[in-house]
């Protein structure tokens, strides 16, 4: 007996929204969306073609001058209306979020609340887009800086949190007067299709937000399109490299939000219970398929064994199963391919001396139809090995001991990535001292998910990307700077 399969009879129909026209199919490649908890297809889609992308760009370009000219308070009101609709429709959105990638139903309400928050936060900025004056040298002159939208932003997001990722870009981009061509990912298209219905219900003018659905070929058509003025890409480093190479042809700016191998530093003076719960969340949250999950646990040697026993014991209480059940805390991995990759990495780490404390084998029984991998905790993982260095994107924790603050910092910074870092200590001076040395875009002290809020900037250093979403920094990502110098002696 397997798990409940989604009933898509109430799901949105339209996977292509261009200007004021909407269609249930594009003119491109056909793909089947699979629900990972049952391994069965929910619906076959026909994705967008390059011509569909072309039409979407044309619609965005046609709408943009009026959208830019719309007074900020009007853009604000539309964004607030959208936020209210997202909140009111949260219960209809939740099953779509579960159906698209197997995320647990109980997380759905939070995802809608988060999306609404983003439109409220940036709607609040839309009527406060000011420039500044500059005290000039070499005058007499009056000099001022004006912030301008780019024009059309192409948004490409991954499958692991499409609503989360799309709205973190849409909200600031729209607030400052850009129009949008948004690609719903082939592995998880449902929530963005629903969001497009809400955009329409809120009364956004046609062409301000356009939707194309499909895989890499649709993204490629967007990146190479001369009419798209900036690409915001959220996904893997491997794809980012291809996008940067392609964007070079049109000299297009690209914002990158990529993967991570975020360290959790647990010092002996930490609140161990809390640090263990939060450490475990790196495997539980989004079933370990979150870019900023803390998946590398660095633990001071004097508390190493008690800490790893605590994490392992807690993991036994996490129910993994049918995502539609309200008592389920963990669902499936996105695909068979991902599951096999994860298992391969675990086996390799074990062969290199990693001590498997729990998990390590694909789940059978009721879980067998879907792509289920248990929480897998490995202790004594050598810092230089693949499991300590590479993103797993699954519920796998790699634990390594350290002997000093200096060593902890060196280990935390010792990967190519630089997305998140989590510090657990009750020593205030140490917290700031260590935070100050983290090569990571988002550092949390005695926290885990709290900083994922629209009012603070989020993004990576090193191979985790560049540019920031969230906060005033997120607004600036979608603005260009024009400086105006007026001679006063003319
Ligand atoms: P991916 O790079 O395979 O795909 C991401 C998107 O890019 C998809 O929509 C895909 O269709 C599209 N795409 C693929 N090839 C393309 C090409 N050549 N040109 C244009 N578009 C193309 O990533 P994924 O497997 O969907 O997502 C997982 C990755 O995303 C992980 O590395 C994760 O850490 C990262 N991620 C980062 C953040 C962040 O904010 N930093 C958030 C979520 C996920």
């Amino acid at each position: 007996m397997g798990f409940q399969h989604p009933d898509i009879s109430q799901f949105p129909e339209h996977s292509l929204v261009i200007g004021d026209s909407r269609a249930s199919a594009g003119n491109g490649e056909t793909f089947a969306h699979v629900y990972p908890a049952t391994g069965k297809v929910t619906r076959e889609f026909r994705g967008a073609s390059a011509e569909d992308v072309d039409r979407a760009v044309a619609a965005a370009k046609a709408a943009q001058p009026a959208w830019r000219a719309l007074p900020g308070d009007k853009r604000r009101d539309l964004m607030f209306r959208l936020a209210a609709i997202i909140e009111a429709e949260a219960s209809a959105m939740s099953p779509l979020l579960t159906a698209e990638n197997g995320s647990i139903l109980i997380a759905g309400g939070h995802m809608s609340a988060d999306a609404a928050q983003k439109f409220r936060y940036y709607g609040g900025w839309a009527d406060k887009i000011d420039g500044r004056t500059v005290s000039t040298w070499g005058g007499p002159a009056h000099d001022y800086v004006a912030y301008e939208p780019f024009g059309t932003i192409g948004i490409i997001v991954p499958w692991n949190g499409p609503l989360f990722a799309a709205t973190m870009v849409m909200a600031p981009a729209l607030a400052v007067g850009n129009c949008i061509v948004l690609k719903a990912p082939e592995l998880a298209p449902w929530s963005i299709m629903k969001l497009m219905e809400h955009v329409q219900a809120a009364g956004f003018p046609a062409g301000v937000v356009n939707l194309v659905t499909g895989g890499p070929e649709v993204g490629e058509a967007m990146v190479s399109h001369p009419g798209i003025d900036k690409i915001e890409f959220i996904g893997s480093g491997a794809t980012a490299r291809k996008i940067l190479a392609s964007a070079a042809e049109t000299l297009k700016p690209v914002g990158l939000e990529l993967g991570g191998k975020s360290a959790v530093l647990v010092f002996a003076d930490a609140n161990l219970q809390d640090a263990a719960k939060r450490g475990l969340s790196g495997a539980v949250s989004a079933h370990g398929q979150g870019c900023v999950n803390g998946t590398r646990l660095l633990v001071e040697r004097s508390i190493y064994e008690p800490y790893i026993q605590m994490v392992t014991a807690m993991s036994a209480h996490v129910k993994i199963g049918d995502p539609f059940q309200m008592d389920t805390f963990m669902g499936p991995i996105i695909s068979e391919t991902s599951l096999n990759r994860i298992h391969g990495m675990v086996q390799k780490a074990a062969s290199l001396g990693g001590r498997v404390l729990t998990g390590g084998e694909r789940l059978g029984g009721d879980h067998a139809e879907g792509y289920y991998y248990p929480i897998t905790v490995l202790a004594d993982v050598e810092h230089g090995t693949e499991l300590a260095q590479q993103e797993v994107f699954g519920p796998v924790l790699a634990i390594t001991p350290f002997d000093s603050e200096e060593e902890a910092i060196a280990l935390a910074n010792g990967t190519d990535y630089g997305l998140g870092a989590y510090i657990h200590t009750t020593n205030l001076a140490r917290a700031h001292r260590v935070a100050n040395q983290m090569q990571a875009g988002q550092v949390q002290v005695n926290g885990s998910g709290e900083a994922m809020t629209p009012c603070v900037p989020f993004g990576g250093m090193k191979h985790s990307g560049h540019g920031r979403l969230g906060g005033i920094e997120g607004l600036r990502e979608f603005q260009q700077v024009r400086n105006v110098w007026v001679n006063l002696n003319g």
Side-chain angles (χ1 to χ4, degrees):
M1 202 191 89
F3 297 136
Q4 180 186 335
H5 193 66
D7 169 11
I8 67 162
S9 59
Q10 304 296 315
F11 281 19
E13 179 63 31
H14 301 125
S15 58
L16 193 72
V17 180
I18 297 177
D20 56 9
S21 83
R22 47 207 68 236
S24 53
N27 297 291
E29 292 179 18
T30 300
F31 64 93
H33 170 261
V34 172
Y35 176 53
T38 60
K40 296 193 179 86
V41 171
T42 67
R43 180 182 142 182
E44 290 226 328
F45 287 85
R46 182 138 186 231
S49 64
E51 291 71 32
D52 293 329
V53 170
D54 204 32
R55 287 192 298 120
V57 175
K61 288 216 123 22
Q64 204 265 334
W67 181 245
R68 170 185 183 264
L70 197 68
D73 61 330
K74 298 284 187 298
R75 284 204 301 272
R76 175 202 66 200
D77 291 350
L78 279 166
M79 292 177 71
F80 283 3
R81 209 172 300 148
L82 177 56
I85 293 171
I86 291 170
E87 270 173 351
E89 295 290 322
S91 60
M93 180 65 91
S94 290
L96 302 173
L97 290 161
T98 296
E100 67 185 2
N101 60 14
S103 56
I104 49 174
L105 194 68
I106 49 168
H110 170 73
M111 296 312 287
S112 286
D114 167 83
Q117 281 283 25
K118 286 168 180 152
F119 287 108
R120 288 230 170 77
Y121 176 78
Y122 280 110
W125 274 113
D127 61 357
K128 301 172 191 71
I129 309 295
D130 299 329
R132 67 187 179 97
T133 56
V134 180
S135 306
T136 55
W137 299 357
H142 171 61
D143 188 278
Y144 60 93
V145 174
Y147 294 101
E148 284 292 317
F150 276 88
T152 298
I153 307 293
I155 307 176
I156 302 174
V157 297
W159 52 264
N160 69 324
L163 182 69
F164 184 89
T167 53
M168 77 200 268
V169 183
M170 286 169 72
L174 289 171
V176 298
N178 295 286
C179 287
I180 284 170
V181 176
L182 167 65
K183 181 175 94 61
E186 69 280 26
L187 292 175
W190 290 113
S191 63
I192 288 183
M193 288 164 63
K194 187 76 182 168
L195 178 67
M196 285 304 296
E197 293 185 354
H198 298 340
V199 168
Q200 186 191 23
F204 279 75
V208 170
V209 185
N210 304 277
L211 170 69
V212 290
T213 299
E217 67 290 349
V218 184
E220 282 165 18
M222 291 166 65
V223 175
S224 62
H225 200 292
I228 290 188
D229 301 297
K230 179 171 184 180
I231 289 284
E232 186 66 34
F233 172 71
I234 305 179
S236 66
T239 304
R241 286 183 178 85
K242 293 183 196 161
I243 287 179
L244 287 176
S246 167
E249 289 299 316
T250 49
L251 295 177
K252 201 180 264 106
V254 181
L256 296 176
E257 295 280 347
L258 310 177
K261 189 76 200 179
S262 303
V264 180
L265 296 84
V266 185
F267 289 93
D269 60 21
N271 174 336
L272 273 204
Q273 188 82 12
D274 190 58
K277 195 177 80 194
R278 292 176 183 276
L280 181 62
S281 76
V284 177
S285 173
H287 330 152
Q289 304 168 114
C291 56
V292 75
N293 287 29
T295 52
R296 223 162 29 107
L297 276 48
L298 309 174
V299 185
E300 193 157 0
R301 199 177 297 277
S302 61
I303 52 152
Y304 187 67
E305 286 300 331
Y307 181 81
I308 63 178
Q309 295 311 330
M310 218 179 256
V311 171
T312 310
M314 284 178 180
S315 73
H317 299 289
V318 178
K319 186 176 171 203
I320 175 165
D322 184 345
F324 279 111
Q325 296 302 315
M326 296 304 276
D327 61 348
T328 299
F329 276 88
M330 263 181 78
I333 298 304
I334 189 69
S335 67
E336 183 97 33
T337 311
S338 278
L339 190 143
N340 290 336
R341 181 182 45 74
I342 292 164
H343 186 52
M345 290 179 83
V346 168
Q347 284 186 311
K348 191 166 168 192
S351 76
L352 293 173
R355 193 167 25 124
V356 182
L357 299 173
T358 185
E361 291 294 340
R362 181 180 184 158
L363 295 178
D366 279 355
H367 303 78
E369 281 183 352
Y371 315 127
Y372 278 91
Y373 206 76
I375 295 174
T376 299
V377 181
L378 286 97
D380 311 341
V381 175
E382 289 288 337
H383 175 64
T385 60
E386 181 189 56
L387 198 73
Q389 293 291 321
Q390 300 303 323
E391 187 177 46
V392 179
F393 231 52
V396 181
L397 299 177
I399 314 187
T400 306
F402 67 82
D403 290 302
S404 66
E405 189 176 304
E406 293 68 31
E407 190 191 2
I409 292 167
L411 291 173
N413 290 337
T415 76
D416 287 340
Y417 293 107
L419 195 54
Y422 305 87
I423 302 164
H424 293 281
T425 178
T426 49
N427 179 331
L428 187 64
R430 167 179 279 154
H432 286 293
R433 202 165 54 229
V434 175
N436 196 33
Q437 295 182 71
M438 287 296 98
Q439 295 167 0
Q442 193 180 74
V443 180
Q444 297 191 46
V445 176
N446 299 327
S448 35
E450 290 91 336
M452 294 307 292
T453 158
C455 60
V456 303
F458 174 73
M461 295 182 182
K462 303 196 288 189
H463 287 195
S464 293
H466 52 74
R468 292 293 179 272
L469 299 170
I472 180 79
E473 289 82 0
L475 209 63
R476 295 281 182 249
E477 274 311 298
F478 303 103
Q479 292 179 308
Q480 311 189 78
V481 175
R482 181 194 296 116
N483 188 74
V484 180
W485 173 285
V486 183
N487 270 336
L488 296 182
N489 57 1

CSV table of all heavy atoms in Angstrom, one decimal, residues 265 267 274 278 421-436 438 442-448 450-451:
chain,number,residue,atom,x,y,z
A,265,LEU,N,28.4,25.3,13.7
A,265,LEU,CA,29.5,25.3,14.6
A,265,LEU,C,28.9,25.2,16.0
A,265,LEU,O,28.2,26.1,16.5
A,265,LEU,CB,30.4,26.5,14.5
A,265,LEU,CG,31.1,26.8,13.2
A,265,LEU,CD1,30.2,27.5,12.2
A,265,LEU,CD2,32.3,27.6,13.4
A,267,PHE,N,29.8,24.9,19.9
A,267,PHE,CA,30.8,25.1,20.9
A,267,PHE,C,30.4,24.4,22.2
A,267,PHE,O,29.2,24.3,22.4
A,267,PHE,CB,31.2,26.5,21.1
A,267,PHE,CG,31.9,27.1,19.9
A,267,PHE,CD1,31.2,27.8,18.9
A,267,PHE,CD2,33.3,27.0,19.8
A,267,PHE,CE1,31.9,28.3,17.8
A,267,PHE,CE2,34.0,27.6,18.7
A,267,PHE,CZ,33.3,28.2,17.7
A,274,ASP,N,19.2,22.6,22.3
A,274,ASP,CA,18.7,23.5,21.2
A,274,ASP,C,19.7,23.3,20.0
A,274,ASP,O,19.2,23.2,18.8
A,274,ASP,CB,18.8,24.9,21.7
A,274,ASP,CG,18.1,25.8,20.7
A,274,ASP,OD1,16.9,25.6,20.4
A,274,ASP,OD2,18.8,26.8,20.2
A,278,ARG,N,18.4,22.0,16.3
A,278,ARG,CA,18.7,22.9,15.1
A,278,ARG,C,19.6,22.2,14.2
A,278,ARG,O,19.5,22.4,12.9
A,278,ARG,CB,19.1,24.3,15.5
A,278,ARG,CG,18.1,25.1,16.3
A,278,ARG,CD,18.6,26.4,16.7
A,278,ARG,NE,17.7,27.2,17.5
A,278,ARG,CZ,16.8,28.0,16.9
A,278,ARG,NH1,16.7,28.1,15.6
A,278,ARG,NH2,15.9,28.7,17.7
A,421,ALA,N,26.0,30.0,7.6
A,421,ALA,CA,26.8,29.5,8.7
A,421,ALA,C,26.0,29.7,10.0
A,421,ALA,O,25.3,30.7,10.2
A,421,ALA,CB,28.1,30.2,8.8
A,422,TYR,N,26.0,28.7,10.9
A,422,TYR,CA,25.2,28.7,12.1
A,422,TYR,C,26.1,28.5,13.3
A,422,TYR,O,26.9,27.5,13.3
A,422,TYR,CB,24.2,27.5,12.1
A,422,TYR,CG,23.3,27.6,10.8
A,422,TYR,CD1,23.7,27.0,9.6
A,422,TYR,CD2,22.1,28.3,10.8
A,422,TYR,CE1,22.9,27.1,8.5
A,422,TYR,CE2,21.3,28.4,9.7
A,422,TYR,CZ,21.7,27.7,8.5
A,422,TYR,OH,20.9,27.8,7.4
A,423,ILE,N,26.1,29.4,14.2
A,423,ILE,CA,27.0,29.3,15.4
A,423,ILE,C,26.2,29.1,16.6
A,423,ILE,O,25.3,29.9,16.9
A,423,ILE,CB,27.8,30.7,15.5
A,423,ILE,CG1,28.6,31.0,14.2
A,423,ILE,CG2,28.7,30.7,16.7
A,423,ILE,CD1,29.0,32.4,14.0
A,424,HIS,N,26.6,28.1,17.4
A,424,HIS,CA,25.9,27.8,18.6
A,424,HIS,C,26.9,28.0,19.8
A,424,HIS,O,27.8,27.3,19.9
A,424,HIS,CB,25.3,26.4,18.6
A,424,HIS,CG,24.2,26.2,17.6
A,424,HIS,ND1,22.9,26.7,17.9
A,424,HIS,CD2,24.2,25.7,16.4
A,424,HIS,CE1,22.2,26.4,16.8
A,424,HIS,NE2,22.9,25.9,15.9
A,425,THR,N,26.6,29.0,20.6
A,425,THR,CA,27.4,29.3,21.7
A,425,THR,C,26.6,30.2,22.7
A,425,THR,O,25.7,31.0,22.2
A,425,THR,CB,28.7,30.1,21.3
A,425,THR,OG1,29.5,30.4,22.5
A,425,THR,CG2,28.5,31.3,20.5
A,426,THR,N,27.0,30.2,24.0
A,426,THR,CA,26.4,31.2,24.9
A,426,THR,C,27.3,32.3,25.2
A,426,THR,O,27.0,33.2,26.0
A,426,THR,CB,25.9,30.5,26.2
A,426,THR,OG1,27.0,29.7,26.7
A,426,THR,CG2,24.7,29.6,26.0
A,427,ASN,N,28.5,32.3,24.6
A,427,ASN,CA,29.5,33.3,24.8
A,427,ASN,C,29.3,34.4,23.7
A,427,ASN,O,29.6,34.2,22.6
A,427,ASN,CB,30.9,32.6,24.7
A,427,ASN,CG,32.0,33.6,24.9
A,427,ASN,OD1,31.9,34.8,24.6
A,427,ASN,ND2,33.2,33.1,25.3
A,428,LEU,N,28.9,35.6,24.2
A,428,LEU,CA,28.5,36.7,23.3
A,428,LEU,C,29.7,37.1,22.5
A,428,LEU,O,29.6,37.4,21.3
A,428,LEU,CB,27.9,37.8,24.1
A,428,LEU,CG,27.4,39.0,23.3
A,428,LEU,CD1,26.2,38.5,22.5
A,428,LEU,CD2,26.9,40.1,24.3
A,429,ALA,N,30.8,37.3,23.2
A,429,ALA,CA,32.0,37.8,22.5
A,429,ALA,C,32.5,36.8,21.4
A,429,ALA,O,32.8,37.2,20.3
A,429,ALA,CB,33.2,38.0,23.5
A,430,ARG,N,32.4,35.5,21.7
A,430,ARG,CA,32.8,34.5,20.7
A,430,ARG,C,31.8,34.5,19.5
A,430,ARG,O,32.2,34.4,18.4
A,430,ARG,CB,32.8,33.1,21.4
A,430,ARG,CG,32.8,32.0,20.3
A,430,ARG,CD,32.8,30.6,21.0
A,430,ARG,NE,34.2,30.3,21.4
A,430,ARG,CZ,34.4,29.4,22.4
A,430,ARG,NH1,33.4,28.9,23.1
A,430,ARG,NH2,35.6,29.1,22.7
A,431,ALA,N,30.5,34.7,19.8
A,431,ALA,CA,29.5,34.7,18.8
A,431,ALA,C,29.9,35.7,17.7
A,431,ALA,O,29.9,35.5,16.5
A,431,ALA,CB,28.1,35.0,19.4
A,432,HIS,N,30.2,36.9,18.2
A,432,HIS,CA,30.5,38.0,17.3
A,432,HIS,C,31.8,37.8,16.6
A,432,HIS,O,32.0,38.1,15.4
A,432,HIS,CB,30.5,39.4,18.0
A,432,HIS,CG,29.1,39.9,18.3
A,432,HIS,ND1,28.2,40.2,17.4
A,432,HIS,CD2,28.5,40.0,19.5
A,432,HIS,CE1,27.0,40.6,17.9
A,432,HIS,NE2,27.2,40.5,19.2
A,433,ARG,N,32.8,37.3,17.4
A,433,ARG,CA,34.1,37.1,16.9
A,433,ARG,C,34.1,36.1,15.7
A,433,ARG,O,34.7,36.3,14.7
A,433,ARG,CB,35.0,36.6,18.0
A,433,ARG,CG,36.5,36.8,17.9
A,433,ARG,CD,37.2,36.5,19.2
A,433,ARG,NE,36.9,35.3,19.8
A,433,ARG,CZ,36.5,35.1,21.1
A,433,ARG,NH1,36.4,36.2,21.9
A,433,ARG,NH2,36.3,33.9,21.6
A,434,VAL,N,33.4,35.0,15.9
A,434,VAL,CA,33.3,33.9,14.9
A,434,VAL,C,32.5,34.4,13.7
A,434,VAL,O,32.8,34.2,12.6
A,434,VAL,CB,32.8,32.6,15.5
A,434,VAL,CG1,32.6,31.6,14.4
A,434,VAL,CG2,33.7,32.1,16.6
A,435,ALA,N,31.3,35.0,14.0
A,435,ALA,CA,30.4,35.5,12.9
A,435,ALA,C,31.2,36.4,12.0
A,435,ALA,O,31.1,36.4,10.8
A,435,ALA,CB,29.2,36.3,13.5
A,436,ASN,N,32.1,37.3,12.6
A,436,ASN,CA,32.9,38.3,11.9
A,436,ASN,C,33.8,37.6,10.9
A,436,ASN,O,34.3,38.3,10.0
A,436,ASN,CB,33.6,39.1,12.9
A,436,ASN,CG,34.1,40.4,12.3
A,436,ASN,OD1,33.5,40.9,11.4
A,436,ASN,ND2,35.3,40.9,12.7
A,438,MET,N,33.2,34.5,9.3
A,438,MET,CA,32.5,33.5,8.4
A,438,MET,C,32.5,34.0,7.0
A,438,MET,O,32.0,35.1,6.7
A,438,MET,CB,31.1,33.3,8.9
A,438,MET,CG,30.9,32.5,10.2
A,438,MET,SD,31.6,30.8,10.0
A,438,MET,CE,33.2,31.0,10.7
A,442,GLN,N,25.0,34.5,4.9
A,442,GLN,CA,24.0,34.6,6.0
A,442,GLN,C,24.5,33.8,7.2
A,442,GLN,O,24.5,32.6,7.2
A,442,GLN,CB,22.6,34.1,5.6
A,442,GLN,CG,21.6,34.5,6.6
A,442,GLN,CD,20.2,34.1,6.2
A,442,GLN,OE1,19.9,32.9,6.3
A,442,GLN,NE2,19.4,35.0,5.8
A,443,VAL,N,24.8,34.5,8.3
A,443,VAL,CA,25.2,33.9,9.5
A,443,VAL,C,24.1,34.0,10.6
A,443,VAL,O,23.5,35.0,10.8
A,443,VAL,CB,26.5,34.6,10.0
A,443,VAL,CG1,27.0,34.0,11.3
A,443,VAL,CG2,27.6,34.6,9.0
A,444,GLN,N,23.9,32.9,11.3
A,444,GLN,CA,22.9,32.9,12.3
A,444,GLN,C,23.5,32.4,13.6
A,444,GLN,O,24.2,31.4,13.6
A,444,GLN,CB,21.7,32.0,12.0
A,444,GLN,CG,21.0,32.5,10.7
A,444,GLN,CD,19.6,31.9,10.5
A,444,GLN,OE1,18.8,31.7,11.4
A,444,GLN,NE2,19.4,31.4,9.3
A,445,VAL,N,23.3,33.2,14.7
A,445,VAL,CA,23.8,32.8,16.0
A,445,VAL,C,22.6,32.2,16.8
A,445,VAL,O,21.6,32.9,17.0
A,445,VAL,CB,24.4,34.0,16.7
A,445,VAL,CG1,24.9,33.6,18.1
A,445,VAL,CG2,25.6,34.5,15.9
A,446,ASN,N,22.8,31.0,17.2
A,446,ASN,CA,21.8,30.2,18.0
A,446,ASN,C,20.4,30.3,17.3
A,446,ASN,O,19.4,30.4,17.9
A,446,ASN,CB,21.6,30.8,19.4
A,446,ASN,CG,22.9,30.7,20.2
A,446,ASN,OD1,23.6,29.8,20.0
A,446,ASN,ND2,23.2,31.7,21.1
A,447,GLY,N,20.5,30.2,15.9
A,447,GLY,CA,19.3,30.2,15.1
A,447,GLY,C,19.4,29.1,14.1
A,447,GLY,O,20.4,28.5,13.9
A,448,SER,N,18.3,28.9,13.3
A,448,SER,CA,18.4,28.1,12.1
A,448,SER,C,17.6,28.7,11.0
A,448,SER,O,18.1,29.4,10.2
A,448,SER,CB,17.9,26.7,12.4
A,448,SER,OG,16.9,26.6,13.4
A,450,GLU,N,15.2,31.2,11.2
A,450,GLU,CA,14.6,32.5,11.5
A,450,GLU,C,14.9,33.6,10.5
A,450,GLU,O,14.1,34.5,10.3
A,450,GLU,CB,14.9,33.0,12.9
A,450,GLU,CG,14.3,32.1,14.0
A,450,GLU,CD,15.2,31.0,14.5
A,450,GLU,OE1,16.1,30.6,13.7
A,450,GLU,OE2,15.1,30.5,15.6
A,451,ALA,N,16.2,33.6,10.0
A,451,ALA,CA,16.6,34.8,9.2
A,451,ALA,C,16.1,34.7,7.8
A,451,ALA,O,16.3,35.6,7.0
A,451,ALA,CB,18.1,34.8,9.2
